[in-house]
């Protein structure tokens, strides 16, 4: 019984890591860039939810969080990464670390460095009984949602024109550009997808732990990055498998 409880918790946590790891693996697959700011975008999404839910109903604030997080990811790509497209990789990595510290310090300034209570989403925290143990509905919803997102992502990458462009850019950046693929557009859409996944992951993760602080994105971000590397960074299925292994362990 105790083992089942641990297993469900591990799968649920691994699912959140998988959602975050997909953002890392997609950006790396195309740009060969480790987006160190990804964990902090995840944290900012949590803070946006805290402040929006204080003045809006949840059915408005949840979609707004997703939209604003996507806008933040797009802005980060345009301001911090696009100007360095032809720069050495070390310059881009330093820029990514700089964005990470900028977001952390901005969050510290806004919150005063104090942890903020995450709003209660009643439907997610409802408890249900499975095999004689009581778990939150969140623990069951998270793996299901992760699998659906992975399937949707694979369909986009394998069976759409934009997905074909992403695969071409990942294979050979310069040749794809010579063939007329709009590189900047492909990269921006990749960051948009990654930020969307960070927003969804933040809702699930912070609903589970119940609070958000300025540095809280670092550890889930690091574990998700390790999971992506463990599963073969650049591979969508590999990132998911690696995340479940890390989560369960």
């Amino acid at each position: 019984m105790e083992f089942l409880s641990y297993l469900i918790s591990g799968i649920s946590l691994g699912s959140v890591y998988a959602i975050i790891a997909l953002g890392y693996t997609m950006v790396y697959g195309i740009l060969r860039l480790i987006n160190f700011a990804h964990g902090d975008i995840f944290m900012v999404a949590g803070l946006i939810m805290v402040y929006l839910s204080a003045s809006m109903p949840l059915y408005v604030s949840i979609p707004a969080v997703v939209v604003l997080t996507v806008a933040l990811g797009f802005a980060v790509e345009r301001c911090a990464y696009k100007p360095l497209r032809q720069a050495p990789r070390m310059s881009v990595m330093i820029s990514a670390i700089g964005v990470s510290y900028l977001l952390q310090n901005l969050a510290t300034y806004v919150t005063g460095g104090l942890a903020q209570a995450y709003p209660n989403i009643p439907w997610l925290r409802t408890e249900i009984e499975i095999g004689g143990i009581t778990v939150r509905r969140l623990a069951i919803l998270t793996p299901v949602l992760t699998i659906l997102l992975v399937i949707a992502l694979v369909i986009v990458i394998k069976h759409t024109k934009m997905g074909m462009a992403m695969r071409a850019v990942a294979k050979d950046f310069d040749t794809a550009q010579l063939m007329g693929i709009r590189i900047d557009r492909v990269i921006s859409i990749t960051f948009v997808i990654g930020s969307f996944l960070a927003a969804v992951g933040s809702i699930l993760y912070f609903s589970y732990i119940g609070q958000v602080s300025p540095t809280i994105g670092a550890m889930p971000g690091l574990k998700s990055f390790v999971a992506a590397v463990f599963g073969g960074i650049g591979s969508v299925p590999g990132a998911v498998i690696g995340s479940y292994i890390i989560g369960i362990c």
Side-chain angles (χ1 to χ4, degrees):
M1 200 70 69
E2 190 177 6
F3 172 77
L4 181 60
S5 177
Y6 286 142
L7 183 63
I8 291 173
S9 295
I11 291 172
S12 178
L13 193 59
S15 298
V16 176
Y17 291 155
I19 293 173
I20 304 170
L22 289 173
Y24 278 111
T25 207
M26 285 192 66
V27 171
Y28 183 85
I30 290 178
L31 277 180
R32 295 295 182 266
L33 162 68
I34 299 168
N35 182 17
F36 286 108
H38 191 64
D40 297 290
I41 291 174
F42 165 82
M43 174 272 297
V44 170
L47 286 179
I48 292 172
M49 181 66 174
V50 169
Y51 289 108
L52 287 185
S53 63
S55 57
M56 298 180 182
L58 287 174
Y59 64 83
V60 176
S61 54
I62 290 174
V65 166
V66 174
V67 171
L68 290 173
T69 306
V70 166
L72 175 63
F74 180 79
V76 166
E77 190 277 323
R78 287 285 160 158
C79 297
Y81 301 142
K82 186 180 178 183
L84 300 174
R85 201 79 84 216
Q86 304 302 322
R89 294 198 184 279
M90 185 58 70
S91 300
V92 185
M93 185 177 293
I94 291 169
S95 180
I97 295 170
V99 171
S100 173
Y101 280 116
L102 174 66
L103 293 176
Q104 283 187 25
N105 283 280
L106 184 61
T108 301
Y109 176 78
V110 170
T111 63
L114 300 174
Q116 305 294 308
Y118 199 75
N120 180 22
I121 303 176
W123 192 82
L124 291 180
R125 294 193 180 183
T126 304
E127 293 186 340
I128 57 176
E129 191 169 315
I130 297 177
I133 62 169
T134 303
V135 295
R136 289 179 182 176
R137 189 173 282 158
L138 177 67
I140 306 302
L141 175 66
T142 304
V144 173
L145 185 58
T146 300
I147 291 167
L148 292 176
L149 286 171
V150 170
I151 291 171
L153 193 58
V154 169
I155 290 172
V156 168
I157 292 172
K158 297 290 186 183
H159 301 288
T160 66
K161 194 172 181 180
M162 179 50 63
M164 188 184 296
M166 287 178 177
R167 285 184 283 128
V169 173
K171 193 75 174 175
D172 193 320
F173 194 95
D174 294 326
T175 303
Q177 197 166 22
L178 290 172
M179 295 298 289
I181 293 174
R182 295 167 63 184
I183 300 293
D184 288 338
R185 183 165 173 258
V186 171
I187 292 171
S188 293
I189 289 175
T190 303
F191 272 86
V192 163
I193 293 173
S195 301
F196 168 79
L197 293 169
V200 174
S202 78
I203 293 170
L204 297 171
Y205 183 79
F206 294 124
S207 291
Y208 183 76
I209 66 169
Q211 65 177 18
V212 190
S213 62
T215 57
I216 201 168
M219 191 51 69
L222 179 61
K223 289 180 180 178
S224 299
F225 171 65
V226 170
V229 172
F230 187 72
I233 192 163
S235 166
V236 170
V240 176
I241 292 169
S243 297
Y244 278 121
I245 292 172
I246 296 289
I248 291 169
C249 287

